[in-house]
Amino acid sequence: MPQQLRFQFPSTSQLKHFRAILSKKEKFFLYLAIFILLTSLITWGVSYYLSSTQKVPTIGGEYTEGILGQPLYINPIISQSNEVDSALCQLIFSSLLSYNNEGNLVNDLAQDFEISEDGKRYTFHLKESVKWHDKTDLTAQDVIFTVALIQNQSFNKSLRGDWQDIKASAPDQRTVVFELPKPYAPFPNKATFGILPRHIFEQIPNDKFLLSDFNLKPVGSGPFQYSEFKQDSENNIVTYQLLANRDYFGDKPFLEKIAFNFYQDEDSLFNAYEKKEINGFGVLSYGKVDALKQRKDTDIHTINTSRYFAIFLNQTKSVPLANKDVRLALQHAINRDAIVEEVFSGFASKNHSPLLVSFGELSPQETHGIREYNPSEAERILEEAGWKKEGDGIRKKDDVTLEFSLITTKWADLVKTAEIVKSQLEQIGVKVNVTNIEFSDIQQNFIKPREYQSILFGQEYFGNDPDPYYFWHSSGKKDPGFNIAVYDNEEVDNLLQEARETRDDGQRKEKYLEFEQKINDDAPAIFLYSPMYVHVTNKKIKGLETQAVVDPSYRFENTNHWFIKTTRVKKD
């Protein structure tokens, strides 16, 4: 009977002699096979791990922002005039409503809100279990108290004007009611003010309000809370540190700390970034961005803003500018693309209207009937209107020279813009006399009395709503109004009044478009551009997705989603 073969694994003593019975060639292929097997197993294991898991943000890391200036009042009802204060307030305080990465309104402290049928009552319901940084409950009474401070004549008059005729009440701990004297559709944008803790500030008399320690060591309810600040030998604050608020009612921050380092000039900011003392900063000189683009460790974030610049034409102070043909010709004579490139290195969008394309849910998605750069058309209009060139190249009509003065501030970008405009208009036979004036002087001695023929200046939305009422309604022609074009059109007045009173967004948008068409027809201003905000950060900082802000300080609105560290978790 044949003997059965039986496999038996080599014993330890046999394995010791295994290498001795193999040739070098056999050993090579054996080791190669083992290496390939192990490598395949490891590769498969890593591949399986990566395919079955995903990278997600996790808690950890610190971000340091460099910024020009000094904190003075980190208090949301008096911080509007200082960018440093406003930026810190966005991190420390919460509001009923806020803005998302696209610049659209979203709930913050508010769970929801309702509007009465007549459009004059807004009822906000607060989220549950919201705490101040000192662990005290935040209630509707804190909101009422903050509104009362805003309405107080002792404090910021820029906010008070929006609230002086509004009545606020709190039926219970989580409900706030605002009663308006008349319908006002853009009102939700007013509900973005930071809320102050009543239990702290009600103990502080009005005459001590600005001196309170809480203006530099604030207690808020936002995603980050005050930790400490450090001063130099001259008592200037050199760094200000915030810690993540782990009791935050919204999405908890990933970053553990955010610090601000303060500098006196932009060169110091750039140097600090080069030395890695800071992780990010906002660029003021657009020409410097190109150099930063070459850095492999740097991300350039371009953010749309709600601010536009235009040359406002005061027809009451200039005979040529009172002529509609002249104003229409000027629209065609300005090369906005050249200004955007030469002044802003491309970090601006040209515009032909006070309604910014695609900013906010109520702005137009495209501009109709615009007058693009066409110097030949500009000259044709002037020729047919009787404005003829003289020997010096400047046009005249009935002994009136086609000449006007243009004033602007000494801000470098506006100075350069004015010079480009002057040069472009001279090419079609228009003489422009440019004067650059200090901001305080231009406000007091020119804008208030409306003593100018034209002015290159900026205007911005209130929040994300384009509501042009303040800037273009005839009621604002005189100080303290903001209608610096001294524009007067009864049809436009009616459109603007109707637009701000209707709650139907579709109807409001239609009325804004009608307004835009009439502005385009009357040409009371030469609309030029809307600058972008440029925020530079190190590539290790992730989660920055902001596309539009109502104010540069709102670039910090979603910092609870910024992150540095990541981990991997199993996919759903």
Side-chain angles (χ1 to χ4, degrees):
M1 186 174 181
Q3 188 175 8
Q4 266 191 328
L5 293 176
R6 186 163 56 92
F7 174 79
Q8 185 175 5
F9 197 85
S11 66
T12 304
S13 60
Q14 289 174 322
L15 286 174
K16 289 180 180 179
H17 301 286
F18 185 69
R19 293 178 57 191
I21 64 174
L22 294 178
S23 67
K24 288 185 178 180
K25 188 175 183 180
E26 288 171 329
K27 290 178 183 177
F28 171 77
F29 283 109
L30 175 63
Y31 295 150
L32 179 61
I34 295 172
F35 174 77
I36 292 173
L37 176 62
L38 291 175
T39 302
S40 298
L41 288 172
I42 293 171
T43 302
W44 176 83
V46 171
S47 177
Y48 176 78
Y49 173 73
L50 293 177
S51 64
S52 62
T53 62
Q54 58 186 342
K55 188 183 289 187
V56 296
T58 191
I59 293 173
E62 177 178 349
Y63 173 79
T64 302
E65 173 89 0
I67 194 167
L68 297 183
Q70 284 273 295
L72 298 173
Y73 303 107
I74 307 170
N75 181 320
I77 72 167
I78 52 176
S79 65
Q80 287 74 27
S81 61
N82 185 339
E83 184 186 345
V84 175
D85 293 339
S86 296
L88 286 164
C89 282
Q90 293 303 324
L91 294 161
I92 296 171
F93 293 93
S94 303
S95 48
L96 292 173
L97 301 177
S98 189
Y99 300 97
N100 63 14
N101 288 329
E102 289 76 41
N104 297 323
L105 280 170
V106 292
N107 292 337
D108 193 14
L109 286 169
Q111 182 69 40
D112 53 47
F113 67 94
E114 306 147 7
I115 309 173
S116 63
E117 284 298 321
D118 62 4
K120 295 194 292 185
R121 182 188 302 109
Y122 286 74
T123 303
F124 288 81
H125 304 286
L126 303 185
K127 293 176 180 176
E128 294 183 5
S129 304
V130 178
K131 301 282 187 181
W132 292 105
H133 294 157
D134 63 3
K135 312 302 182 185
T136 304
D137 290 337
L138 187 153
T139 71
Q141 292 300 328
D142 293 299
V143 181
I144 302 304
F145 175 78
T146 304
V147 172
L149 286 177
I150 291 172
Q151 294 172 331
N152 190 321
Q153 294 186 4
S154 302
F155 306 122
N156 195 327
K157 65 179 181 180
S158 64
L159 282 179
R160 187 174 69 251
D162 293 327
W163 285 91
Q164 59 185 358
D165 297 323
I166 296 173
K167 296 179 181 179
S169 60
D172 58 57
Q173 292 292 78
R174 290 185 52 236
T175 305
V176 179
V177 179
F178 297 114
E179 299 278 355
L180 282 58
K182 57 186 177 180
Y184 179 56
F187 176 78
N189 278 276
K190 292 183 183 292
T192 57
F193 62 92
I195 309 300
L196 286 172
R198 183 184 70 159
H199 66 283
I200 289 176
F201 281 94
E202 69 179 348
Q203 310 296 329
I204 302 171
N206 287 350
D207 60 344
K208 304 294 184 184
F209 188 85
L210 297 179
L211 303 175
S212 169
D213 287 344
F214 288 102
N215 290 324
L216 283 179
K217 300 176 181 179
V219 174
S221 57
F224 288 86
Q225 61 190 48
Y226 167 75
S227 173
E228 63 175 348
F229 62 80
K230 296 178 181 178
Q231 296 174 293
D232 61 17
S233 58
E234 297 179 355
N235 292 326
N236 295 311
I237 298 176
V238 293
T239 187
Y240 195 98
Q241 190 172 91
L242 305 175
L243 298 178
N245 174 17
R246 294 301 166 204
D247 295 322
Y248 182 53
F249 61 87
D251 293 338
K252 305 294 189 292
F254 295 114
L255 295 175
E256 290 183 310
K257 299 177 183 178
I258 290 184
F260 284 78
N261 290 352
F262 305 106
Y263 301 91
Q264 298 302 313
D265 55 70
E266 195 172 22
D267 286 339
S268 300
L269 267 179
F270 275 85
N271 291 335
Y273 188 73
E274 290 282 348
K275 296 176 181 177
K276 301 187 184 301
E277 294 174 0
I278 57 176
N279 305 122
F281 65 102
V283 176
L284 299 179
S285 299
Y286 294 90
K288 295 184 177 182
V289 179
D290 285 338
L292 291 166
K293 281 182 178 179
Q294 309 307 315
R295 295 178 59 116
K296 294 182 180 180
D297 65 344
T298 296
D299 281 329
I300 308 294
H301 308 276
T302 55
I303 305 172
N304 293 324
T305 69
S306 64
R307 194 177 194 189
Y308 66 86
F309 287 81
I311 299 173
F312 299 92
L313 309 174
N314 187 349
Q315 301 171 43
T316 68
K317 298 292 183 179
S318 167
V319 173
L321 294 180
N323 185 295
K324 184 175 180 178
D325 290 319
V326 169
R327 300 197 306 276
L328 295 178
L330 296 180
Q331 306 291 327
H332 285 295
I334 302 298
N335 186 343
R336 295 166 178 81
D337 289 314
I339 295 174
V340 166
E341 286 301 321
E342 292 181 41
V343 179
F344 298 97
S345 299
F347 294 104
S349 57
K350 65 178 182 178
N351 65 290
H352 300 262
S353 160
L355 302 181
L356 301 178
V357 175
S358 299
F359 189 99
E361 296 170 310
L362 290 170
S363 287
Q365 300 307 299
E366 56 184 62
T367 303
H368 302 277
I370 62 175
R371 297 183 176 87
E372 290 284 8
Y373 176 57
N374 188 339
S376 298
E377 176 65 9
E379 296 208 73
R380 184 195 66 77
I381 293 173
L382 293 175
E383 284 289 333
E384 292 184 1
W387 294 92
K388 306 297 181 181
K389 281 187 177 180
E390 299 287 308
D392 59 359
I394 302 302
R395 296 178 182 274
K396 278 189 176 183
K397 177 182 178 180
D398 300 331
D399 295 326
V400 176
T401 301
L402 188 42
E403 175 183 10
F404 64 90
S405 62
L406 170 63
I407 65 170
T408 191
T409 69
K410 291 186 176 181
W411 185 33
D413 292 338
L414 294 185
V415 171
K416 192 171 183 179
T417 298
E419 289 303 319
I420 294 173
V421 167
K422 172 184 171 71
S423 175
Q424 291 179 353
L425 293 184
E426 284 178 350
Q427 293 174 25
I428 65 164
V430 180
K431 184 177 181 181
V432 181
N433 304 307
V434 175
T435 305
N436 304 310
I437 304 168
E438 294 290 349
F439 183 79
S440 58
D441 191 19
I442 207 170
Q443 283 277 15
Q444 187 66 34
N445 298 319
F446 294 88
I447 292 179
K448 282 189 175 183
R450 304 296 196 258
E451 284 296 332
Y452 48 84
Q453 294 182 343
S454 70
I455 179 171
L456 171 56
F457 210 66
Q459 293 181 334
E460 60 188 344
Y461 288 5
F462 176 79
N464 74 345
D465 195 295
D467 179 25
Y469 184 94
Y470 290 117
F471 300 126
W472 296 100
H473 193 278
S474 62
S475 61
K477 289 194 303 181
K478 295 181 179 180
D479 185 69
F482 300 107
N483 182 351
I484 59 176
V486 198
Y487 180 63
D488 194 335
N489 183 312
E490 186 176 352
E491 290 182 74
V492 166
D493 284 353
N494 292 333
L495 280 172
L496 296 181
Q497 187 64 48
E498 292 166 2
R500 61 176 10 204
E501 291 182 359
T502 180
R503 289 174 50 200
D504 186 294
D505 286 349
Q507 291 182 22
R508 289 182 69 202
K509 206 165 186 178
E510 288 179 11
K511 292 186 183 298
Y512 285 155
L513 287 174
E514 286 185 61
F515 156 76
E516 183 180 51
Q517 290 163 4
K518 292 189 179 299
I519 288 290
N520 187 56
D521 291 340
D522 291 341
I526 307 169
F527 300 97
L528 299 175
Y529 51 74
S530 175
M532 296 176 180
Y533 187 83
V534 180
H535 193 205
V536 174
T537 62
N538 187 281
K539 280 186 179 293
K540 72 176 184 178
I541 314 299
K542 304 296 184 183
L544 286 77
E545 299 178 352
T546 302
Q547 300 171 27
V549 293
V550 300
D551 178 89
S553 65
Y554 279 90
R555 68 188 185 276
F556 297 111
E557 185 61 29
N558 292 287
T559 45
N560 53 325
H561 294 137
W562 294 11
F563 64 94
I564 294 175
K565 296 188 176 182
T566 60
T567 188
R568 299 196 73 88
V569 298
K570 188 176 179 62
K571 290 182 178 179
D572 295 332

